[in-house]
Amino acid sequence: MQTVRKGRVSLVESATDEIRAQIVNGTWPVGSRIPPESVLCESLGVSRASVREAVRSLVHSGLLEPRQGDGTFVISDDDSAAALRRRLERAELSHVTQVRQGLDVVAARQAAKHRTEAQLAGIEAALARRNAALSARDTDAFTAADAEFHVLVAEAGANPVLADIYRSLSVALRAELRRAACVDTATAAATDPHLRLTEAIRAQDPQAAVDAAVLLLAGHVRDLALPLDD
């Protein structure tokens, strides 16, 4: 019985490693659906039970996500990034915002220095989606666009570590935005720090970008009523 158990564990570990490898090497990129059980069984040469255990393990590690009636999707290609995301999802919003106070300033400065025209276009498009959702009072679309805006700013900074951290922060960012009821307090006027940040990045003005980022975070702190001076 013990020998069978060891063999089973070995098959599960082998299947887990193979599926992880396909994710990491980009065969199944983030956002894609992995093949169904029957296909995985055939390609990996293991039973359905072994495939299920392997998939369950990768769901637990944060690389995969099952979606009712739609299959299982890749949500991360990095175990460490997935672990960070799970930690952030459990964190208090005040702690997430404290971390953002440092990161946002760096992201803004770097984006103003290093952004490409394509990255600027992506930031402007996310801001437009945010403003459209604000006009429609669509909370889900607003929080998604706002979180995407910040991720794109970080990605424009030519610092892959900062970009990875911000991608991991995106779920916590959405929770922060919902809690702060930002759709009720946000503005699309010229005084909006998001617009000022975008304009500073367009003008490649690092100091103006930092100033806008500081204003933006001050608004979040106010809306969340967080004691961040401790």
Side-chain angles (χ1 to χ4, degrees):
M1 181 68 70
Q2 189 173 1
T3 302
V4 173
R5 178 60 183 165
K6 283 184 178 178
R8 172 67 178 281
V9 171
S10 177
L11 287 173
V12 172
E13 289 175 348
S14 176
T16 303
D17 289 344
E18 181 59 31
I19 294 172
R20 180 185 287 109
Q22 299 285 357
I23 293 169
V24 171
N25 69 22
T27 300
W28 303 325
V30 174
S32 66
R33 182 173 57 190
I34 67 171
E37 270 186 12
S38 58
V39 175
L40 289 174
C41 289
E42 183 175 351
S43 64
L44 299 175
V46 297
S47 67
R48 282 182 180 267
S50 293
V51 167
R52 287 190 191 115
E53 287 190 39
V55 169
R56 190 179 299 117
S57 172
L58 293 169
V59 167
H60 180 70
S61 69
L63 298 185
L64 297 176
E65 179 182 69
R67 298 177 187 171
Q68 187 77 29
D70 204 17
T72 301
F73 287 77
V74 179
I75 58 172
S76 177
D77 57 8
D78 186 323
D79 286 316
S80 59
L84 175 59
R85 187 177 61 251
R86 291 198 305 276
R87 178 65 186 88
L88 289 167
E89 288 171 0
R90 299 193 307 271
E92 293 183 17
L93 289 179
S94 61
H95 295 160
V96 174
T97 304
Q98 284 174 334
V99 171
R100 282 191 61 200
Q101 284 186 304
L103 293 178
D104 275 20
V105 168
V106 175
R109 181 189 297 116
Q110 292 300 105
K113 289 181 178 180
H114 299 289
R115 61 84 177 164
T116 65
E117 289 298 322
Q119 288 167 331
L120 174 63
I123 292 167
E124 291 175 334
L127 180 62
R129 287 192 294 275
R130 178 184 182 274
N131 290 341
L134 176 61
S135 297
R137 315 305 292 176
D138 185 334
T139 299
D140 287 342
F142 176 85
T143 55
D146 198 305
E148 182 187 10
F149 173 88
H150 290 288
V151 171
L152 290 171
V153 169
E155 289 178 345
N159 184 328
V161 174
L162 183 62
D164 284 345
I165 291 172
Y166 248 92
R167 281 189 286 269
S168 297
L169 267 171
S170 61
V171 173
L173 281 173
R174 294 187 191 202
E176 181 181 286
L177 292 164
R178 288 191 181 92
R179 175 176 160 181
C182 288
V183 75
D184 296 324
T185 59
T187 176
T191 54
D192 175 25
H194 292 79
L195 176 59
R196 292 178 63 173
L197 176 55
T198 302
E199 290 174 342
I201 292 171
R202 182 187 303 118
Q204 297 184 298
D205 185 337
Q207 187 55 55
V210 167
D211 293 343
V214 170
L215 282 175
L216 195 157
L217 260 296
H220 279 311
V221 171
R222 181 191 63 245
D223 294 340
L224 287 162
L226 295 175
L228 292 178
D229 295 327
D230 295 343

